[in-house]
Amino acid sequence: HHHPVTGHRHPLTPRLSPAAERLRYILGEEDDMPTPTLFTEMDTLQQDGDELEWKESARWVKFEEKVEEGGERWSKPHVSTLSLHSLFELRTCIQTGTVLLDLEGYSLPQIVDEIIEQQVDEGMLSPDLREKISFVLLRKHRHQTKKPIHRSLADMGKASGGGARHAQSRSMNDISDTPSTDQLRNKFMKKIPRDAEASNVLVGEVDFLDKPFVAFVRLAQATTLGGLTEVPVPTRFLFILLGPTGKAKSYNQIGRAIATLMVDDLFSDVAYKARDREDLIAGIDEFLDEVIVLPPGEWDPKIRIEPPKKVTSADKRKSVFSLNELGQPNGAAGGGGGLAEDEEIVCVCGRFCGGLFLDIKRKIPWLLSDFYEGFHIQSISAVLFIYLGCITNAITFGGLLGDATDNYQGVMESFLGTALSGTVFCLFSGQPLIILSSTGPILIFEKLLFEFSKNNGIDYMELRLWIGIHSCLQCFLLVATDASYIIKYMTRFTEEGFSSLISFIFISDAIKKMMGSFKYYPINTDFKPDYVTAYKCECLLNITGLDWSQLSKKECVKYGGSLVGNTCKYVPDLALMSFILFFGTYSMTVSLKKFKFSRYFPTKLRKLISDFSIFMAIMTFVGLDRLIGLKTPKLIVPTEFKPTRPDRGWIVLPFGKNPWWVYLASFVPALLVTILIFMDQQISAVIVNRKENKLRKGCGYHLDLFWVGVLMAACSFLGLPWYVAATVISIAHIDSLKMESESSAPGEQPQFLGVREQRLTGILVFVLTGVSIFLAPILQFIPMPVLYGVFLYMGVASLSGIQFWERIKLYMMPSKYQPDFPFLRHVPLRRVHLFTLVQIICLAVLWVLKSTVLAILFPVMVLFMTRPKQSGEKTKLKCTTTHKHRGKNKPAQRAETGVTNKTKPTEKGKGNGGS
């Protein structure tokens, strides 16, 4: 790779070996057709009495599975460990043996004849051995398909058909082109992709050869060769190694080496595209270049290495050979999403409402899929979880709002507003995964506004309506001028500070509410069971001649009596029961959520339990509460559809109660509300749209803000609270809709595929919230501590995956136990700690601020946390969207900024937030 003008070599281009140069031309031209997945099976030649037969000894889809020595079960999938010697011997085999590429093959006997003919023609095999070799290669194949009689319950759940009396099945007719019934019934097919092809490795020792017989064959068309393979997958490659007796172990190792190479992403590409023997050898040389050797004295070769949690992609290795990426070391230039400049979707267009039109244009093609993609069992668990979070929030917020505004807005208004705003937003917004809710700063603004109105004789509801109208217009102005462009300055620092603060608020509120019950129902610490006869409470009244002992506490006080005795202040231990419900709900949810990584039960059942973890935890503890029958505090939902305050209607009229100047002056407080809503909404949207979530339908910052503005005006006219994106509940919504790969190779961890992006779950949550007024008889059984447990879970769950939280934990870890984070490889630890400390201080300032009346200035403080644009820095706001590029979906992503080290150039988009 040279400079087009000067002819000098590019300084960053690696100097390639001859083998790598050869591979560059094999792999450099990208095909539209991806290489199929290879299922590799190794059969070894066994003596069964007087008969010879081929017995399956190992198989690979991604990792190796061996047939255990007992012969009744497959080993656990593990990373293949090869001896270096076997790889060099394999290289020699390919160099000296027969290589037939693109052989026209239709049956095993014909292919075997072609191989033998080639060897005889080249003088590698004496003609008199032709029959013997052919006889050996066409022996029966015995596969490890049927299960033994004694099986675990989990296996019984998976398998069908009666228990086989033997561990292997024998395919009687190898010559036929049709697979046997055992092959067709094999459950292992679920683990193999549909377009997979087979690679068969046959190794064995025979007494009539004095030198090895080696052949590597690639068929022109993948062909089903009868009973050759365990599963009915057409064969594309054959590797045969027969040799003199006494070296069975060595042959076995060579067979494992070629099988491991065939499932290597890069070598399988080479095998499909190779034009001659030298290309295959170049592929082996590249593999040898990448191989890492473990010293024999420091590692036990008998240990099976567990498959890694995350397998690195072969794309980095392939990019070295790609002709299309010359001049771009390490794959893509820069740190964005690997899209060309003209493919970026930029949220600023320089014309009136440009961003809004772009958002609408981006969303229209997905409109239909936004509904039908919601029909999935996972959606049910997401709806139940988010619904409980929303009604708890609505009740808590409604109660606080009722106290702050003298019931002009209460629980009823909170329910109705949540249902209306949420449903409209989920139907029409740009990012329907966002959940709208009320926030703390808005509550404080309402409180200050009500007090101001009361002290100055101004009608609160009418003033609030005009603030809502002005704020709505200001939101429209921000949308029209593409003001959402400001969020390009939202770095990881700002995002993490904001989302951590909201998470901590959720956690502290849940604990604070729980602790409140200990004050309300004090624990009876001085109760001594032995003194039970001394505990009594009597009602004393001055009136004689009547028996007052039957009066209740309330009646006694009502008639002017006095209560005397040790147990008059006694209350049942409701606080303790509440704590059991609170902590039990939280811990059971956490345990069941992790259940999908456990070793028990089949995958589908584990996934189902994990998805419905919150629902199962709630139902368990609601049941426990009913069983014990204590009067723990329950969820109270309004039962009648009418405003909380009797003297107000559902519609607020804009004129008639306030002086004319109030209509204009309300522009000033509206400005504060707009900043508050803009920052809250857009930061939450940035967190939801972050590239880690792998969203494919794109963002819609302008469209979201437009609908938030519309809903502000609508809620003001109806006298309902104002709503904005709720960070924690939105993160919980995304978390409950995450998708993982279904069919995975044995040992391979399920891959995170993205989020089930649709509008249905959000709409159902808010429709249910509206219907909750009629569900009061059912909801009254749910204890409040159970819902506080859900709140605690939401707060803790939204902290996971935040790099800031991981960095806080580093303070308490000795260096040797610290996880291998990419940023720790590039940045000195003291600098990481300093960066984290600055974030903690900023978070503490925000926390103090939100705990005072100054909380309405909270968004302005968040604004100060955003960074200024550096000189010479180009930043474009990219939305994750899908482009058709060489038949693949490539998402464009927003570059993230993390901890930086001044001594090195910043590498954006690398690992967790740059170097």
Side-chain angles (χ1 to χ4, degrees):
H1 172 214
H2 293 81
H3 192 280
V5 180
T6 62
H8 292 304
R9 191 177 182 81
H10 193 286
L12 288 177
T13 307
R15 198 175 286 278
L16 297 178
S17 63
E21 284 287 0
R22 183 177 269 275
L23 290 193
R24 167 165 280 178
Y25 289 99
I26 306 167
L27 305 175
E29 296 303 320
E30 272 196 35
D31 294 2
D32 286 341
M33 285 292 290
T35 306
T37 302
L38 277 176
F39 165 75
T40 306
E41 178 184 320
M42 184 167 104
D43 291 2
T44 48
L45 193 60
Q46 305 279 330
Q47 189 91 24
D48 186 17
D50 296 335
E51 272 193 51
L52 287 172
E53 66 174 8
W54 293 99
K55 183 171 176 284
E56 184 176 13
S57 61
R59 67 182 179 197
W60 290 253
V61 179
K62 199 169 188 79
F63 299 103
E64 180 175 2
E65 290 174 278
K66 275 194 176 90
V67 175
E68 300 290 27
E69 283 174 23
E72 280 205 345
R73 67 187 286 269
W74 284 106
S75 73
K76 212 177 161 194
H78 55 278
V79 177
S80 299
T81 46
L82 308 172
S83 66
L84 202 56
H85 185 64
S86 67
L87 283 165
F88 286 123
E89 282 191 308
L90 171 67
R91 193 180 186 280
T92 311
C93 285
I94 298 287
Q95 230 165 359
T96 56
T98 302
V99 173
L100 293 170
L101 300 177
D102 296 327
L103 175 72
E104 294 292 340
Y106 50 85
S107 72
L108 193 59
Q110 175 253 331
I111 293 165
V112 168
D113 284 347
E114 293 265 8
I115 296 166
I116 295 169
E117 203 59 52
Q118 181 81 11
Q119 290 242 356
V120 171
D121 288 352
E122 290 176 5
M124 295 158 75
L125 184 73
S126 69
D128 57 328
L129 294 175
R130 187 185 303 221
E131 292 301 318
K132 286 184 177 180
I133 294 269
S134 182
F135 174 80
V136 169
L137 291 178
L138 296 177
R139 290 304 79 215
K140 293 164 191 159
H141 285 260
R142 197 151 59 120
H143 301 297
Q144 184 77 8
T145 51
K146 287 195 176 174
K147 305 244 175 198
I149 302 166
H150 310 291
R151 294 179 303 190
S152 68
L153 289 168
D155 281 341
M156 283 176 185
K158 284 192 216 171
S160 63
R165 294 207 170 272
H166 57 287
Q168 291 91 8
S169 72
R170 209 180 270 257
S171 71
M172 295 307 290
N173 190 357
D174 286 307
I175 315 301
S176 75
D177 289 341
T178 54
S180 66
T181 50
D182 285 337
Q183 285 172 292
L184 294 168
R185 276 199 217 130
N186 196 339
K187 298 278 177 191
F188 193 71
M189 275 306 287
K190 286 181 185 171
K191 297 283 184 186
I192 304 170
R194 287 187 176 187
D195 64 339
E197 294 177 355
S199 153
N200 289 90
V201 176
L202 307 177
V203 294
E205 51 178 7
V206 286
D207 52 10
F208 54 80
L209 285 175
D210 54 2
K211 63 175 186 175
F213 171 91
V214 181
F216 179 90
V217 179
R218 180 179 73 205
L219 300 179
Q221 291 297 321
T223 312
T224 305
L225 301 176
L228 183 63
T229 314
E230 174 198 346
V231 278
V233 170
T235 297
R236 172 74 76 164
F237 296 98
L238 262 171
F239 177 81
I240 298 166
L241 168 59
L242 290 176
T245 49
K247 292 185 74 182
K249 194 178 175 187
S250 170
Y251 302 152
N252 225 26
Q253 291 299 322
I254 295 168
R256 286 182 61 248
I258 186 70
T260 307
L261 274 162
M262 293 311 288
V263 292
D264 176 66
D265 285 345
L266 198 98
F267 187 84
S268 68
D269 265 16
V270 173
Y272 270 97
K273 294 175 183 174
R275 296 155 301 186
D276 54 33
R277 183 195 308 269
E278 294 308 315
D279 288 352
L280 290 171
I281 290 167
I284 296 173
D285 287 344
E286 189 281 334
F287 187 86
L288 281 163
D289 279 349
E290 297 288 324
V291 157
I292 291 157
V293 178
L294 293 167
E298 293 164 35
W299 174 73
D300 180 3
K302 289 183 185 138
I303 293 169
R304 288 175 181 165
I305 300 175
E306 288 271 326
K309 290 261 188 294
K310 198 175 178 187
V311 181
T312 50
S313 164
D315 293 343
K316 277 190 180 178
R317 276 166 69 199
K318 287 180 186 176
S319 68
V320 178
F321 307 112
S322 177
L323 292 171
N324 300 329
E325 295 187 9
L326 295 176
Q328 284 189 18
N330 301 329
L339 284 179
E341 280 294 313
D342 57 348
E343 287 182 299
E344 285 171 1
I345 287 188
V346 182
C347 284
V348 92
C349 295
R351 62 190 176 89
F352 183 74
C353 287
L356 182 65
F357 289 132
L358 246 180
D359 283 353
I360 295 167
K361 192 178 165 187
R362 191 181 304 128
K363 285 288 149 188
I364 285 172
W366 299 107
L367 208 55
L368 204 62
S369 71
D370 276 348
F371 288 94
Y372 68 72
E373 281 180 17
F375 290 97
H376 191 273
I377 193 159
Q378 192 183 18
S379 301
I380 301 169
S381 65
V383 168
L384 292 168
F385 173 32
I386 303 303
Y387 164 66
L388 287 165
C390 280
I391 60 166
T392 313
N393 218 10
I395 287 168
T396 311
F397 190 81
L400 293 169
L401 206 55
D403 294 343
T405 63
D406 200 10
N407 282 338
Y408 272 105
Q409 295 173 75
V411 177
M412 186 71 214
E413 286 76 12
S414 185
F415 264 76
L416 197 62
T418 305
L420 172 78
S421 301
T423 310
V424 171
F425 189 83
C426 286
L427 269 170
F428 304 110
S429 69
Q431 184 47 276
L433 294 174
I434 289 173
I435 298 289
L436 293 194
S437 180
S438 303
T439 58
I442 287 178
L443 175 68
I444 286 164
F445 181 85
E446 296 273 22
K447 193 175 181 179
L448 294 173
L449 191 68
F450 181 74
E451 283 170 7
F452 172 80
S453 307
K454 199 173 168 184
N455 297 338
N456 293 286
I458 293 169
D459 184 76
Y460 162 68
M461 294 305 277
E462 195 180 285
L463 171 63
R464 191 178 172 278
L465 166 63
W466 279 96
I467 290 172
I469 292 168
H470 280 295
S471 191
C472 170
L473 295 171
Q474 287 163 6
C475 282
F476 289 169
L477 189 68
L478 290 171
V479 170
T481 55
D482 291 336
S484 295
Y485 188 52
I486 195 173
I487 62 162
K488 71 168 188 172
Y489 297 117
M490 297 291 165
T491 60
R492 185 189 285 278
F493 186 94
T494 317
E495 274 179 50
E496 288 180 344
F498 182 81
S499 56
S500 300
L501 180 75
I502 307 294
S503 300
F504 288 142
I505 289 170
F506 257 67
I507 293 165
S508 76
D509 279 3
I511 294 169
K512 217 184 282 176
K513 287 187 177 103
M514 192 56 245
M515 289 301 122
S517 67
F518 280 86
K519 286 180 187 170
Y520 198 72
Y521 309 110
I523 287 178
N524 309 293
T525 49
D526 54 353
F527 179 83
K528 294 180 179 68
D530 195 37
Y531 297 170
V532 74
T533 50
Y535 287 99
K536 58 181 181 175
C537 180
E538 289 182 349
C539 177
L540 291 185
L541 279 155
N542 293 330
I543 307 163
T544 52
L546 287 168
D547 179 20
W548 298 102
S549 59
Q550 301 303 311
L551 287 184
S552 70
K553 276 185 178 183
K554 279 184 184 173
E555 287 170 334
C556 179
V557 174
K558 186 180 172 186
Y559 296 124
S562 57
L563 295 162
V564 178
N566 297 337
T567 58
C568 291
K569 288 183 179 176
Y570 176 88
V571 286
D573 283 337
L574 292 182
L576 204 58
M577 184 62 195
S578 296
F579 182 76
I580 290 166
L581 296 175
F582 166 73
F583 195 71
T585 305
Y586 167 74
S587 51
M588 188 175 173
T589 304
V590 171
S591 305
L592 291 180
K593 202 76 184 163
K594 289 179 183 169
F595 193 73
K596 67 178 168 191
F597 303 115
S598 94
R599 297 179 178 194
Y600 304 105
F601 305 119
T603 316
K604 280 187 180 172
L605 184 59
R606 290 204 309 264
K607 182 90 172 61
L608 205 65
I609 290 170
S610 175
D611 283 345
F612 282 86
S613 56
I614 293 126
F615 179 69
M616 286 164 77
I618 289 166
M619 292 313 289
T620 303
F621 286 95
V622 167
L624 180 71
D625 180 67
R626 293 291 299 152
L627 193 70
I628 291 172
L630 287 177
K631 290 192 174 172
T632 46
K634 301 290 192 292
L635 188 65
I636 300 160
V637 183
T639 50
E640 286 184 78
F641 186 72
K642 61 177 186 183
T644 310
R645 196 180 165 103
D647 62 346
R648 63 152 283 200
W650 279 121
I651 302 291
V652 178
L653 297 171
F655 302 106
K657 291 184 180 177
N658 288 336
W660 65 270
W661 56 266
V662 172
Y663 310 143
L664 302 175
S666 51
F667 174 85
V668 180
L671 200 59
L672 188 61
V673 175
T674 307
I675 295 170
L676 195 140
I677 277 178
F678 177 80
M679 293 301 290
D680 244 355
Q681 175 66 37
Q682 302 299 45
I683 295 175
S684 299
V686 165
I687 291 164
V688 166
N689 290 313
R690 56 159 59 137
K691 68 176 180 222
E692 286 92 341
N693 293 330
K694 293 187 179 176
L695 302 182
R696 60 199 164 85
K697 295 185 180 180
C699 61
Y701 294 99
H702 310 279
L703 192 56
D704 290 348
L705 191 61
F706 172 80
W707 282 107
V708 167
V710 169
L711 290 166
M712 285 231 26
C715 287
S716 302
F717 272 106
L718 293 169
L720 306 175
W722 293 321
Y723 293 91
V724 74
T727 314
V728 169
I729 301 182
S730 300
I731 292 171
H733 189 209
I734 278 183
D735 201 45
S736 61
L737 289 167
K738 283 185 173 175
M739 296 184 293
E740 285 176 335
S741 53
E742 289 276 331
S743 132
S744 55
E748 193 179 12
Q749 293 286 333
Q751 300 296 308
F752 170 54
L753 302 175
V755 178
R756 205 173 294 285
E757 291 177 72
Q758 35 70 49
R759 296 175 187 271
L760 213 57
T761 51
I763 293 166
L764 283 173
V765 163
F766 292 113
V767 167
L768 272 175
T769 306
V771 174
S772 292
I773 302 152
F774 309 107
L775 297 177
I778 301 165
L779 296 173
Q780 70 185 12
F781 292 120
I782 302 176
M784 284 309 285
V786 166
L787 295 178
Y788 299 150
V790 173
F791 255 51
L792 179 67
Y793 173 75
M794 276 187 182
V796 173
S798 59
L799 278 178
S800 66
I802 296 179
Q803 194 200 82
F804 170 53
W805 183 238
E806 298 297 335
R807 280 188 274 110
I808 287 176
K809 290 194 276 188
L810 290 180
Y811 278 114
M812 292 170 276
M813 278 185 214
S815 298
K816 62 180 174 180
Y817 297 125
Q818 288 173 355
D820 185 22
F821 293 127
F823 57 82
L824 289 179
R825 292 184 177 195
H826 298 280
V827 187
L829 192 60
R830 56 189 163 73
R831 189 173 285 278
V832 173
H833 284 336
L834 180 66
F835 183 81
T836 310
L837 188 65
V838 172
Q839 265 185 306
I840 291 169
I841 292 164
C842 287
L843 193 64
V845 170
L846 286 177
W847 184 273
V848 170
L849 193 74
K850 77 101 202 159
S851 309
T852 64
V853 179
L854 293 170
I856 47 173
L857 298 174
F858 168 75
V860 183
M861 277 298 291
V862 174
L863 199 59
F864 286 136
M865 280 167 65
T866 57
R867 71 189 174 103
K869 191 172 177 181
Q870 305 298 313
S871 57
E873 182 186 16
K874 285 183 185 175
T875 317
K876 283 189 178 178
L877 174 68
K878 296 176 201 163
C879 293
T880 309
T881 190
T882 306
H883 291 279
K884 296 277 186 295
H885 182 69
R886 292 191 178 273
K888 294 175 186 172
N889 287 353
K890 292 198 176 182
Q893 294 146 344
R894 203 172 50 77
E896 295 271 334
T897 307
V899 188
T900 53
N901 180 7
K902 288 178 184 172
T903 57
K904 295 180 184 177
T906 303
E907 302 169 39
K908 284 191 185 171
K910 191 173 181 181
N912 278 349
S915 64

